[in-house]
Amino acid sequence: MAPTPIADARSPSERIVEAGRRLFFEKGFQNVSTDMLAREAKVSKASIYKYFPDMAGILVAVTSAEAVHFFAAEPVVIDSRETLRSELIRFGTALLRFLNRSEIIRFTQLMFEQARENHEAAGQFYDAAYGATLEQLAALIRQGQEIDALNTSQSAEDLAVQLVGMWEFIPMVRVHMGKTKKPFAAPEVWATKCVDTLIP
């Protein structure tokens, strides 16, 4: 007697989002049709439109799910200049390791490609990923400013933008321009060099 197939516990909408993620990464958003998505998710085309208004709506849902995993840091208490330095290095190293992951590289490329045509998805991704990362980093820097571990009149928000820019900008440009497959050869070393320009 043949074994009974195990039922898929995921809802149709979850299957559609997961299939969309796989197909968008593999083929690019513009190249994914509703027929292709329905086959991959094992749902009817009518089911797709029951849960999502259009393909851009699926991209927004994929973005929401992906951005949750973009980067999360544990809250810490900054009580000295050295603690600030070490926590910024830890934060930067974790961020750069995250950005080194091939699926994250593909997803950020997808979002940059779609930014002009899918403003809602791109804006949601920015807020949940870059925006959240900047807020967490600014909170660390602000703690350092409150205990006079930083000698600057710049805001914590401006310093966070500058530090993320140093960490990410050129290495990620190299990846997006096809110059390299992995942006950060030594995440901790690069994170430390950038922090040392802020806290010499």
Side-chain angles (χ1 to χ4, degrees):
M1 188 167 137
T4 305
I6 298 170
D8 191 336
R10 297 169 302 166
S11 70
S13 64
E14 289 171 329
R15 293 201 309 270
I16 292 165
V17 171
E18 288 174 20
R21 181 187 187 278
R22 283 193 302 274
L23 290 171
F24 296 159
F25 282 3
E26 180 185 330
K27 301 180 181 301
F29 177 75
Q30 299 292 357
N31 300 319
V32 177
S33 68
T34 51
D35 287 329
M36 199 182 297
L37 183 59
R39 276 194 307 275
E40 183 78 11
K42 296 180 175 54
V43 298
S44 67
K45 283 175 68 173
S47 290
I48 292 174
Y49 291 111
K50 175 181 176 184
Y51 294 101
F52 301 98
D54 50 26
M55 291 294 278
I58 298 167
L59 180 59
V60 169
V62 169
T63 300
S64 298
E66 198 66 23
V68 167
H69 305 293
F70 190 82
F71 186 67
E74 294 295 322
V76 295
V77 175
I78 303 300
D79 57 8
S80 69
R81 184 178 175 87
E82 188 48 46
T83 303
L84 175 62
R85 182 179 177 277
S86 65
E87 285 302 319
L88 291 176
I89 291 168
R90 183 190 62 78
F91 187 104
T93 301
L95 176 61
L96 302 186
R97 285 183 179 148
F98 182 84
L99 293 174
N100 256 354
R101 290 168 43 193
S102 59
E103 72 273 16
I104 299 305
I105 292 168
R106 285 195 306 273
F107 192 76
T108 54
Q109 286 172 330
L110 172 67
M111 294 316 303
F112 288 138
E113 289 165 8
Q114 292 304 311
R116 289 185 182 165
E117 294 178 26
N118 294 290
H119 300 290
E120 183 182 354
Q124 190 170 10
F125 177 72
Y126 178 86
D127 291 342
Y130 290 100
T133 298
L134 287 169
E135 284 177 19
Q136 291 173 20
L137 185 56
L140 283 176
I141 292 170
R142 197 172 301 109
Q143 285 188 63
Q145 289 175 322
E146 288 168 1
I147 63 164
D148 293 325
L150 282 172
N151 298 322
T152 178
S153 60
Q154 292 188 69
S155 71
E157 291 74 19
D158 285 349
L159 291 171
V161 168
Q162 291 171 34
L163 192 49
V164 169
M166 283 190 286
W167 279 333
E168 289 187 37
F169 180 61
I170 293 299
M172 292 304 287
V173 166
R174 287 189 190 118
V175 167
H176 294 310
M177 300 299 281
K179 300 288 281 176
T180 183
K181 290 185 184 285
K182 188 178 263 192
F184 308 102
E188 186 170 4
V189 172
W190 184 243
T192 301
K193 285 180 178 179
C194 294
V195 169
D196 283 346
T197 66
L198 182 66
I199 306 176

